[in-house]
Amino acid sequence: DQQVKQNSPSLSVQEGRISILNCDYTNSMFDYFLWYKKYPAEGPTFLISISSIKDKNEDGRFTVFLNKSAKHLSLHIVPSQPGDSAVYFCAASGADTGNQFYFGTGTSLTVIP
Amino acid sequence: NAGVTQTPKFRVLKTGQSMTLLCAQDMNHEYMYWYRQDPGMGLRLIHYSVGEGTTAKGEVPDGYNVSRLKKQNFLLGLESAAPSQTSVYFCASSYSIPPGPQYFGPGTRLLVL
């Protein structure tokens, strides 16, 4: 059963606007979350992370929000740029997952110039 | 630094053939991982290693074997390839167990006929 879910396979946003990518999880033991960005024919690259002791982490144009009660996190990109067009994966780990991250299925973001 | 490299980039196998995928990292990371990515499934962990000479099973280990004879290399073997193993394989490494972020290679696309 998928423990980390990204229910939107794709998202299109106009350049300069905000992109919001969502991720839901089922395991209440997850306490660390990451977002990765992936371009075609390349491996995923780490983007931003958040631990469960925080509800927000910001890095430049990228902000991740965590809502533990709803088991939901989101990635905000402001302003969106054409170079942000990629597939975004969220991943989670926790005390009961040992050395493993569990990944979502990804959301393909297209930023329209 | 090359980071994480994978060999080969693309391979076609016939059912029953064997092959080895090579992953190398030059970041002196202790931890290394093999994932497979399938459409609609996200990344799933096959096997991982927490140090030279150690290996452990991930989420989907059946049909694969691994070895970590040197710290910088992590090999993934398919003894008897099956069409269900058609996938894109990613290797990753990290300096710590989760929650440390993982650094991914560019991937190996494998087609089993």
Side-chain angles (χ1 to χ4, degrees):
Chain A
D1 190 26
Q2 196 81 16
Q3 298 193 52
V4 179
K5 300 178 182 179
Q6 293 176 257
N7 293 319
S8 298
S10 62
L11 175 68
S12 291
V13 172
Q14 289 286 340
E15 181 178 4
R17 298 289 189 103
I18 184 171
S19 295
I20 300 176
L21 295 94
N22 295 304
C23 180
D24 297 294
Y25 60 96
T26 57
N27 188 341
S28 59
M29 296 294 288
F30 285 154
D31 57 8
Y32 199 80
F33 306 88
L34 295 85
W35 283 94
Y36 285 86
K37 176 179 180 179
K38 184 184 179 304
Y39 291 118
E42 294 184 10
T45 55
F46 170 68
L47 194 57
I48 192 170
S49 63
I50 189 168
S51 78
S52 59
I53 62 172
K54 294 184 174 182
D55 54 17
K56 175 183 175 182
N57 189 27
E58 192 172 353
D59 184 1
R61 296 186 297 113
F62 301 91
T63 302
V64 56
F65 295 91
L66 176 62
N67 183 333
K68 291 184 288 293
S69 61
K71 297 191 182 68
H72 176 83
L73 66 155
S74 60
L75 175 68
H76 292 210
I77 306 173
V78 183
S80 300
Q81 300 174 354
D84 296 329
S85 296
V87 177
Y88 290 79
F89 292 96
C90 63
S93 71
D96 66 339
T97 65
N99 297 309
Q100 299 192 35
F101 274 112
Y102 287 88
F103 283 80
T105 52
T107 296
S108 178
L109 173 66
T110 301
V111 180
I112 303 165
Chain B
N1 287 349
V4 179
T5 58
Q6 294 183 230
T7 308
K9 288 185 170 52
F10 176 70
R11 183 77 183 267
V12 179
L13 286 181
K14 294 181 179 178
T15 297
Q17 286 185 319
S18 64
M19 78 163 294
T20 300
L21 283 67
L22 171 63
C23 175
Q25 52 95 4
D26 61 2
M27 297 174 282
N28 202 34
H29 285 170
E30 287 292 337
Y31 304 89
M32 297 188 75
Y33 311 82
W34 276 108
Y35 290 90
R36 60 178 289 173
Q37 184 192 9
D38 302 295
M41 297 293 288
L43 285 89
R44 292 181 294 168
L45 183 64
I46 304 170
H47 286 282
Y48 64 97
S49 168
V50 300
E52 182 178 321
T54 73
T55 62
K57 294 180 180 180
E59 189 181 355
V60 288
D62 294 340
Y64 306 94
N65 56 76
V66 288
S67 64
R68 182 100 180 266
L69 299 180
K70 293 183 179 180
K71 185 177 183 179
Q72 64 268 32
N73 295 337
F74 195 28
L75 279 64
L76 178 71
L78 287 73
E79 290 185 347
S80 179
S84 61
Q85 294 178 303
T86 293
S87 188
V88 180
Y89 292 85
F90 290 101
C91 176
S93 70
S94 65
Y95 54 83
S96 69
I97 60 173
Q102 298 172 355
Y103 297 85
F104 284 83
T108 294
R109 186 174 297 274
L110 177 64
L111 175 62
V112 182
L113 301 175

